[in-house]
Amino acid sequence: MIEQETQANKAAATTAHILSDVFSPLLTPTYAMAATLWLTNLRYLPSGVLWWALVGVFLITCFLPASFIFWLMRKGKVSDTCISNPRQRFIPYSFAIACYVGAAIFVVVLHAPGWMPRFFLGAAVVTALSMLITKWWKISAHAASAGGVAALIYWLVFNGYLNTAPMLWLTASFLIVGFVAWARLYLNHHTPTQVLAGAVMAFIIEYSAVTFF
């Protein structure tokens, strides 16, 4: 019985780590971009344009900040890839903000719809607020990134832009928020309040960004 519980705990911990890695804040902007490109009418654009847009966003919002974090680790500025020490987050968070602004400029150059650069600017605002809050309180960046994508999917669905199985993808986006929240809680990286605050803050900011600005 004890052995079965141990195996179940190991499986749950492995699942939680996989969810945290797959839905890392570095990767969620790429998922959001993929959803907007292939689940809306943008999918009728030439495939070369679609893939260039996706790869560009990946390079700007994932590859560059990840490379910067590894460089900071080599310099001893951060202790791990998750930047688990809140005191070490100012520099990488500032770099991430610049990358989100860069992604917004990139999609503007590609003549993307106005809501797309606003999404990335919203992500910059979420990151800036997280950077300020984390000085006193460890708000969940994972939950925030998942909540921000859910806000975009919600807005796209209810404005008629996401026209490929809209309710399926909307449900999936909210389930992902729940899975990510569970993972962060199971790994004892955050409290329920920190996870909820991250998701709600990002949802409100991103929905406001794509709606009103």
Side-chain angles (χ1 to χ4, degrees):
M1 186 68 176
I2 295 175
E3 183 178 349
Q4 290 179 343
E5 290 181 357
T6 301
Q7 290 177 347
N9 290 336
K10 287 182 178 179
T14 300
T15 302
H17 280 295
I18 291 173
L19 287 170
S20 293
D21 292 340
V22 170
F23 296 105
S24 162
L26 292 176
L27 290 171
T28 46
T30 302
Y31 300 152
M33 191 66 179
T36 60
L37 291 175
W38 275 278
L39 300 178
T40 70
N41 287 336
L42 293 174
R43 64 181 178 274
Y44 297 116
L45 290 170
S47 60
V49 173
L50 296 176
W51 283 106
W52 168 238
L54 184 66
V55 171
V57 166
F58 171 79
L59 291 174
I60 296 169
T61 63
C62 181
F63 180 78
L64 286 179
S67 299
F68 186 63
I69 290 171
F70 282 117
W71 180 79
L72 290 175
M73 287 178 62
R74 290 184 60 185
K75 295 293 183 179
K77 300 294 183 180
V78 299
S79 55
D80 55 76
T81 56
C82 295
I83 321 174
S84 53
N85 185 347
R87 295 181 179 179
Q88 299 175 345
R89 292 182 174 181
F90 179 79
I91 294 176
Y93 272 44
S94 297
F95 189 83
I97 293 169
C99 287
Y100 285 131
V101 174
I105 295 171
F106 172 71
V107 295
V108 167
V109 170
L110 294 180
H111 305 289
W115 48 264
M116 191 178 289
R118 293 198 297 269
F119 168 76
F120 289 110
L121 293 177
V125 173
V126 170
T127 305
L129 287 176
S130 297
M131 181 175 65
L132 293 175
I133 294 170
T134 199
K135 290 183 178 180
W136 302 279
W137 196 57
K138 194 181 176 185
I139 193 168
S140 175
H142 277 77
S145 61
V149 175
L152 175 64
I153 299 299
Y154 179 87
W155 185 86
L156 290 171
V157 168
F158 284 95
N159 283 276
Y161 291 110
L162 199 153
N163 46 31
T164 302
M167 298 312 298
L168 173 64
W169 290 106
L170 179 61
T171 302
S173 70
F174 279 95
L175 285 175
I176 289 170
V177 175
F179 291 147
V180 170
W182 169 81
R184 305 310 286 168
L185 293 173
Y186 189 87
L187 296 172
N188 293 317
H189 289 315
H190 295 284
T191 66
T193 306
Q194 290 168 343
V195 168
L196 179 63
V200 171
M201 178 189 71
F203 189 95
I204 293 173
I205 291 175
E206 286 290 17
Y207 184 83
S208 300
V210 295
T211 303
F212 303 114
F213 299 104

